[in-house]
Amino acid sequence: MRTHTRGAPPVFFISLLWPLLTPLLLVVVVEGAAAEADPGGGIPFMGGNYFGHPMLYFNRDEVEEMQNAATGTHRDLAARIREAAETMLESPAEYLPPWNPAQFSARWNELYGNNLALLSMFCLLYPHRVGALDLAKEYMERMAVQPSWLVKDSPWDEVPVAHSLVGFATAYDFLYEYLNKDQQERFIQVIGNVTREMYEKSMKRAWGFQYLHNHQPTNCVALLTGTLVYMAQGYLQEAYTWTTQVLTIMEKSLVLLHDVTDGSLYEGVAYGTYSTRSLFQYMFLVQRHFSINHFEHPWLLKHFAFMYRTVLPGFQRSVGIADSNYNWFYGPESQLVFLDRYVLRNGSGNWLAEQIIQHRVTEGPGKPSKGQRWCTLHTEFIWYDPSLSPKPPLDYGTSQLHYFEDWGVVTYGSALPVDINLTFLSFKSGKLGGRGIFDIIHMKKYKAWTKGWRNFNSGHEHPDQNTFTFAPNGFPFITEALYGPKYTWLNNAALFYSGHLNSCFQPWTGQLTESCDSKWSKYKTGLAADAQGRVEAAMERQGMVFIRGEGHSAYSPELKIRIFQRNLLLLHPQLLLVVDHIHLDPHGSTKAMSTFFHNMELPFQSTTIDGVHGAFVSHGRDKYKIFWMDDTGFSSEGVTNFFSYPTGYTFNGSNYVNVTMPLRYPKTRVAYILFGPGIDVQSFSMHGDKQRVNIYLVTNDNTYTVYLLTSEVTNKPIFALVLLNNQKIVFEKAALKDSSPEEVEEYANVLYDNLQHVKPVFQQVERHVLSKALNAASFRKIAARLLNSSDKKKTEEVIEKMFAKTQSKTQDGDMVNLGEKLSESLPDIFAQIEVTEEKKRQKTSGHIYEDSQEEGKASSQVSDRKGAFVNGRKYKEVHMVTTEWSRGMSDTVSLVRMFLLLNTAIFFLLLGVILTRFLKCRTLNRQRVLYTVLLVDCSVLVYLYSSCSHTQC
């Protein structure tokens, strides 16, 4: 009996203490798991613990590490930063903003903000460079005296203001320690004033509610950057309002972006880099400052393909679909290293960035613009991970076919060296705005947030369904016409002759989104709002590529076009066959079709061989040719010319060849053969019947017989059959995936879950600000900053009570948790803000909220300090964590945590000694002594655990 009773007290004691030990074990397990898989992509969450500047992207403690990296792992990046900054230092008059406000606002002025961020990073990395800091300070002084950062001729456009605000606020954060007190105060007021203006405009301008458009992330990241810097200076009430607004806008966009399943952006590659320049900054900042993680977003996981699969051979140009230049507006090196560090983790992003840097055009077409070439160098430096050795994707070196199902774009042969038979081909036929946006609108998804095209903007898209580009041997033979007027014929597309329709170029009619007198496409109302094309096939078989698109829905139904099918067959890397199939409805008036093919740089020249008309461009000694013929053997003479763009466009214009062919009822087929200098076409003929067209081609090396089934109903399950000498290549019918994704489940709750991360951060900042002010002569001033938006009559009274409490606590010597107690003595200013700002938002921007009554209702509910309900769902309180840079209270917390872990170890050691060594002890007094020591240690453990929980360690 004694043996059993001796073992009972330890067992009973363990069972009694198990509820206490379980949380401690869970903490250890959770922290271990977090170390293995960091959901924040390795970006430390600040948790509201700010101790001066810099704080936006890194802390003061990291500056020395960055300076060391500039001479080591990041030396190549640092060299580019240094080269850019030295260029500015050599010619300061060329780069400094003018003092005169009229000159400052006389033209598009984004370069001032863009270049300032680069200069401030240089000063941070090389603080001893003579003249650099003086230049940066004068730069900021010149910007600070401007009454407005708007452009005079575009007072409705906040985009240049956004560029200036991002650059100015970033420079303020980076260079804060180098500014004198007067500059610190004046410059933060400038940041506050401009940010306040951006906040007000966000409730009135389209960028506040038109999602996935490049203006939105550009302006919103400016609003967020200014807000974070303003918050760090203690202006919490306004900063809280602005933060909630910018997160509401951007988090909605990121929810909607789930519907874009292929990683693309409908505005094209060039404007896509405009969006991602700011979008990636936003993702980084909200993770760092609010622990909102977007690094597993399904769109982000596929975005590398949008960068990699759209690069032409030679790494100097990209697909020019939609408004574009020859390649990228911003970056894309910064975006690529971001993707590699936080998403890919395989070196492919670093590799592609390296290739683009090595092959960058320095003069001529494709050269980066003066105002944009340096603006992403600082984020590229910050995000670059040297541990990821540059490594190309596994399929690099071979031509690959890729289909962007949302964008409606097919590419083949991207990201290759320029070499013989390394060819690039692209084709576009998709829904206006991309499938995701188009289906959101037409299927009425996300009803609480969207109402048709008013919440989206496709102005940068072109009337370009069923269009293609072709670069045999990497040479851009058939190109897009880039950023120009929104005319159908500028997009390698077809126009149709119908005299009775109102159109830009009567009697010729283009696609529905064509705009006659505006820089932007038509898309909001009428038939244009429903315009779309469709990729029906995209496949590669034995080195040949077949693509088919259907585009009749992009044209007016009054043209009576039942089918407008464009087929592309890449028979050889230097030989492309294009076949247009037009099926007319009866009683129509469409008489002819006029197609266009463009080259931005070289003129077309006419030619004829054996009665078959064609044209060619000369590239050195090489000639790249195109010939055409319909299914009756007729070949009309083409027209070659140059079209000059109107004033206001970047490019002068485009060279083109125009081919006009008559249409017959019910079906007409027209074939075009395009080939490079390595191919000599010796014979070309075609004929057809109701279901198919047969094309016969003889070249210097091969004989091709192509059977193309064009009818919508056939008795054979194939698209095309090619006989190459004695070889048969079959392109069988296979449906492409074209299903719209489901609406994000409980999307409103997803938004408000993320918004719940904001208040705890600001409450923590509030505690730090008050704690910092305890021994400062400016206590009243700092407290007034906290209360500057609450009831003015009570402000002085509350400040005096706080000051009295400060004095009494200082005399008592209880300083540890005084900041927190003072914070608790304040009114819940953030709850007040949520109520008053919601009323203001409804009043000042009713045109936004009138479409979504549920949105306003839900927004006003997020006000409880401990938790909130939205649509019946309880939120969990967002728990704060301290970071390795914490000071003050966080030092005390770290000490408590250390003692807690040490005492836990001692507790288990004593418990083990009892269970293994002293259970057989015959002396009861010794056991009593051990149990007493264990109880005392347990009491200390309980005290430390409660203290640790109280201070949120």
Side-chain angles (χ1 to χ4, degrees):
M1 178 67 73
R2 289 180 180 178
T3 303
H4 292 289
T5 55
R6 283 176 182 171
V11 173
F12 173 76
F13 199 64
I14 293 172
S15 65
L16 184 67
L17 293 177
W18 186 251
L20 172 65
L21 299 177
T22 300
L24 295 175
L25 293 174
L26 285 175
V27 167
V28 174
V29 171
V30 169
E31 288 185 353
E36 291 180 6
D38 185 356
I43 301 171
F45 172 41
M46 295 302 296
N49 300 295
Y50 303 109
F51 302 94
H53 295 276
M55 47 73 68
L56 279 174
Y57 295 93
F58 47 83
N59 294 280
R60 190 184 309 166
D61 297 342
E62 296 174 272
V63 172
E64 185 176 353
E65 296 177 13
M66 293 171 62
Q67 292 171 345
N68 292 334
T71 60
T73 58
H74 290 54
R75 58 183 175 275
D76 292 337
L77 288 171
R80 291 160 58 206
I81 292 174
R82 187 168 61 250
E83 180 183 4
E86 292 293 348
T87 301
M88 296 176 67
L89 286 164
E90 289 174 5
S91 306
E94 184 179 347
Y95 292 95
L96 281 171
W99 290 103
N100 189 327
Q103 295 178 2
F104 185 90
S105 63
R107 61 189 179 109
W108 191 264
N109 54 27
E110 69 171 87
L111 78 164
Y112 298 136
N114 290 348
N115 290 341
L116 179 55
L118 171 280
L119 180 60
S120 62
M121 173 60 89
F122 175 76
C123 293
L124 204 65
L125 296 178
Y126 304 98
H128 302 299
R129 170 57 170 94
V130 176
L133 279 169
D134 291 337
L135 180 65
K137 291 179 184 179
E138 182 180 351
Y139 204 122
M140 296 182 74
E141 290 284 4
R142 288 175 177 238
M143 293 190 70
V145 299
Q146 304 301 324
S148 173
W149 289 342
L150 288 166
V151 174
K152 179 183 177 182
D153 293 335
S154 304
W156 57 85
D157 192 348
E158 284 77 40
V159 167
V161 178
H163 286 271
S164 294
L165 178 56
V166 167
F168 194 88
T170 301
Y172 183 88
D173 180 60
F174 288 3
L175 304 181
Y176 182 84
E177 296 296 329
Y178 299 102
L179 304 175
N180 60 45
K181 290 294 183 181
D182 176 65
Q183 289 172 326
Q184 291 173 358
E185 289 296 323
R186 284 189 295 108
F187 293 168
I188 195 60
Q189 293 306 316
V190 171
I191 293 171
N193 292 337
V194 178
T195 308
R196 188 179 301 109
E197 178 186 352
M198 292 293 287
Y199 162 72
E200 296 291 343
K201 296 299 184 184
S202 72
M203 295 187 290
K204 302 174 183 178
R205 298 286 197 237
W207 57 268
F209 59 87
Q210 286 187 339
Y211 304 111
L212 308 182
H213 181 258
N214 68 88
H215 283 199
Q216 190 171 79
T218 299
N219 291 340
C220 283
V221 84
L223 178 54
L224 179 62
T225 304
T227 296
L228 290 172
V229 173
Y230 206 56
M231 173 193 69
Q233 287 296 307
Y235 296 93
L236 298 190
Q237 292 207 49
E238 284 188 297
Y240 181 76
T241 302
W242 303 340
T243 301
T244 303
Q245 172 70 353
V246 71
L247 261 64
T248 299
I249 295 171
M250 288 301 297
E251 293 302 314
K252 286 181 182 179
S253 271
L254 286 163
V255 169
L256 299 179
L257 199 56
H258 280 79
D259 280 38
V260 181
T261 58
D262 58 8
S264 68
L265 289 167
Y266 71 99
E267 291 185 295
V269 175
Y271 266 106
T273 60
Y274 202 165
S275 293
T276 55
R277 164 189 178 262
S278 298
L279 181 61
F280 289 177
Q281 289 182 50
Y282 173 85
M283 288 180 173
F284 181 93
L285 292 173
V286 295
Q287 170 59 44
R288 175 174 168 82
H289 298 284
F290 302 110
S291 190
I292 299 174
N293 176 24
H294 291 297
F295 297 116
E296 296 180 359
H297 195 293
W299 173 88
L300 191 65
L301 298 176
K302 292 191 174 183
H303 186 65
F304 178 74
F306 185 65
M307 309 297 291
Y308 178 59
R309 302 296 182 186
T310 56
V311 181
L312 270 66
F315 301 95
Q316 293 184 341
R317 301 191 182 197
S318 66
V319 167
I321 293 169
D323 281 341
S324 177
N325 59 3
Y326 286 99
N327 39 52
W328 311 273
F329 284 148
Y330 298 89
E333 299 91 334
S334 173
Q335 293 94 316
L336 288 168
V337 299
F338 175 94
L339 287 172
D340 214 348
R341 180 167 186 171
Y342 302 117
V343 182
L344 303 174
R345 302 295 304 168
N346 60 11
S348 294
N350 287 351
W351 171 83
L352 185 53
E354 185 180 80
Q355 296 301 310
I356 291 172
I357 293 169
Q358 290 177 0
H359 296 89
R360 271 286 191 186
V361 176
T362 56
E363 295 295 335
K367 177 183 177 181
S369 73
K370 184 178 179 180
Q372 300 164 353
R373 55 183 170 172
W374 299 331
C375 68
T376 57
L377 286 177
H378 66 295
T379 52
E380 185 182 351
F381 187 94
I382 294 167
W383 293 333
Y384 175 68
D385 185 349
S387 69
L388 300 172
S389 300
K391 183 180 180 181
L394 295 176
D395 61 15
Y396 172 70
T398 59
S399 297
Q400 299 292 320
L401 185 72
H402 188 85
Y403 173 44
F404 295 95
E405 70 274 9
D406 186 276
W407 196 18
V409 171
V410 180
T411 64
Y412 176 77
S414 63
L416 294 170
V418 174
D419 203 352
I420 301 298
N421 291 335
L422 293 182
T423 290
F424 181 83
L425 178 67
S426 73
F427 181 77
K428 163 77 184 300
S429 192
K431 294 180 176 180
L432 181 63
R435 185 188 65 191
I437 290 176
F438 190 91
D439 287 354
I440 287 172
I441 293 167
H442 290 81
M443 297 172 65
K444 294 181 170 54
K445 299 164 72 174
Y446 305 99
K447 291 182 180 179
W449 295 349
T450 66
K451 188 177 181 181
W453 279 109
R454 73 177 296 277
N455 292 108
F456 300 96
N457 187 332
S458 286
H460 283 299
E461 280 202 71
H462 287 196
D464 59 1
Q465 310 312 330
N466 274 11
T467 66
F468 74 97
T469 67
F470 183 42
N473 303 334
F475 166 72
F477 176 27
I478 305 299
T479 73
E480 295 96 344
L482 305 180
Y483 203 143
K486 305 305 182 288
Y487 301 152
T488 303
W489 64 270
L490 287 178
N491 292 278
N492 302 324
L495 279 71
F496 293 94
Y497 182 95
S498 182
H500 68 282
L501 292 181
N502 185 24
S503 61
C504 300
F505 301 95
Q506 288 184 310
W508 295 97
T509 300
Q511 296 184 10
L512 291 164
T513 56
E514 185 172 79
S515 178
C516 305
D517 53 5
S518 172
K519 291 181 69 174
W520 321 120
S521 289
K522 292 191 298 185
Y523 66 92
K524 294 182 180 179
T525 58
L527 294 172
D530 303 324
Q532 60 178 303
R534 182 176 70 255
V535 175
E536 295 186 334
M539 59 187 71
E540 181 184 8
R541 299 289 183 270
Q542 300 181 43
M544 293 186 184
V545 175
F546 176 74
I547 303 170
R548 172 176 288 179
E550 172 53 55
H552 80 276
S553 295
Y555 294 86
S556 171
E558 295 185 43
L559 290 171
K560 302 292 184 180
I561 300 174
R562 180 183 299 180
I563 296 174
F564 173 33
Q565 182 189 104
R566 175 160 279 185
N567 301 271
L568 274 64
L569 250 172
L570 187 65
L571 301 170
H572 178 276
Q574 296 190 50
L575 176 60
L576 175 66
L577 172 65
V578 179
V579 179
D580 288 339
H581 166 70
I582 302 92
H583 187 168
L584 299 176
D585 280 329
H587 312 300
S589 60
T590 303
K591 306 296 184 183
M593 177 180 72
S594 188
T595 55
F596 291 80
F597 305 94
H598 288 265
N599 189 296
M600 284 291 291
E601 299 170 52
L602 299 174
F604 286 92
Q605 301 177 56
S606 298
T607 186
T608 306
I609 300 178
D610 297 331
V612 180
H613 290 280
F616 67 91
V617 297
S618 296
H619 178 59
R621 295 182 178 181
D622 296 330
K623 292 184 178 180
Y624 293 81
K625 303 174 183 179
I626 175 173
F627 290 89
W628 51 87
M629 176 191 300
D630 71 6
D631 51 358
T632 67
F634 174 70
S635 178
S636 64
E637 185 176 357
V639 176
T640 60
N641 208 338
F642 177 83
F643 175 73
S644 296
Y645 289 171
T647 303
Y649 290 96
T650 304
F651 300 101
N652 295 326
S654 178
N655 303 282
Y656 67 87
V657 56
N658 173 215
V659 181
T660 301
M661 302 289 276
L663 297 180
R664 298 174 307 281
Y665 172 80
K667 298 178 180 180
T668 304
R669 287 76 170 244
V670 181
Y672 314 85
I673 54 170
L674 303 91
F675 51 95
I679 297 292
D680 179 22
V681 176
Q682 299 171 353
S683 179
F684 170 37
S685 63
M686 68 180 296
H687 65 274
D689 55 28
K690 292 182 178 180
Q691 290 197 350
R692 74 182 191 189
V693 58
N694 304 331
I695 301 168
Y696 184 71
L697 276 172
V698 179
T699 69
N700 48 328
D701 294 322
N702 298 298
T703 299
Y704 301 89
T705 303
V706 178
Y707 301 99
L708 184 65
L709 283 77
T710 58
S711 177
E712 58 270 33
V713 179
T714 65
N715 56 8
K716 294 185 178 180
I718 63 173
F719 286 117
L721 172 67
V722 179
L723 300 179
L724 171 58
N725 301 326
N726 296 320
Q727 187 180 9
K728 181 188 294 186
I729 299 96
V730 179
F731 296 94
E732 70 281 359
K733 280 193 173 180
L736 288 174
K737 179 183 176 183
D738 192 28
S739 58
S740 183
E742 294 293 326
E743 185 179 80
V744 174
E745 185 178 358
E746 293 189 339
Y747 61 89
N749 288 330
V750 173
L751 166 65
Y752 290 109
D753 276 344
N754 286 338
L755 289 179
Q756 287 297 104
H757 290 237
V758 177
K759 183 189 284 188
V761 170
F762 274 83
Q763 290 170 336
Q764 182 72 359
V765 176
E766 181 184 44
R767 299 184 190 104
H768 275 282
V769 169
L770 291 172
S771 299
K772 184 179 179 180
L774 295 180
N775 295 319
S778 60
F779 175 82
R780 285 185 172 84
K781 181 178 179 181
I782 293 177
R785 286 186 178 184
L786 294 174
L787 299 165
N788 68 346
S789 294
S790 57
D791 191 338
K792 300 299 182 182
K793 295 181 180 179
K794 296 182 180 180
T795 298
E796 290 296 329
E797 179 182 350
V798 174
I799 291 175
E800 289 303 323
K801 288 182 179 180
M802 291 167 58
F803 187 72
K805 184 175 289 190
T806 301
Q807 297 302 309
S808 63
K809 292 296 180 181
T810 303
Q811 293 173 3
D812 294 341
D814 183 9
M815 298 292 294
V816 176
N817 294 321
L818 184 52
E820 185 171 348
K821 292 178 179 179
L822 285 175
S823 176
E824 293 174 353
S825 71
L826 285 170
D828 187 352
I829 58 177
F830 305 115
Q832 294 175 10
I833 290 170
E834 287 165 353
V835 175
T836 57
E837 287 301 319
E838 181 59 31
K839 293 178 180 178
K840 179 180 177 182
R841 191 178 292 114
Q842 299 253 5
K843 181 179 179 180
T844 58
S845 55
H847 64 284
I848 298 176
Y849 286 90
E850 66 184 7
D851 297 328
S852 177
Q853 295 300 323
E854 291 184 16
E855 175 184 340
K857 182 178 179 181
S859 179
S860 65
Q861 290 175 335
V862 187
S863 59
D864 183 58
R865 195 164 211 170
K866 297 298 181 185
F869 290 92
V870 174
N871 297 335
R873 175 173 156 198
K874 183 76 165 63
Y875 288 120
K876 294 181 180 179
E877 183 180 11
V878 179
H879 296 285
M880 305 304 299
V881 296
T882 54
T883 67
E884 60 178 311
W885 299 283
S886 298
R887 300 290 187 270
M889 286 189 297
S890 60
D891 290 338
T892 304
V893 169
S894 299
L895 196 61
V896 171
R897 175 181 287 175
M898 182 183 70
F899 279 113
L900 175 63
L901 295 176
L902 180 63
N903 206 268
T904 302
I906 294 173
F907 176 82
F908 279 106
L909 177 64
L910 290 172
L911 195 60
V913 169
I914 289 175
L915 294 175
T916 59
R917 306 281 302 201
F918 289 93
L919 284 180
K920 297 180 180 180
C921 180
R922 297 179 179 273
T923 306
L924 186 60
N925 289 332
R926 285 189 177 183
Q927 292 187 19
R928 286 173 177 171
V929 170
L930 282 171
Y931 286 138
T932 301
V933 172
L934 198 61
L935 283 171
V936 171
D937 191 70
C938 178
S939 300
V940 174
L941 191 63
V942 171
Y943 172 75
L944 289 172
Y945 180 72
S946 62
S947 299
C948 189
S949 298
H950 181 67
T951 54
Q952 296 178 325
C953 74

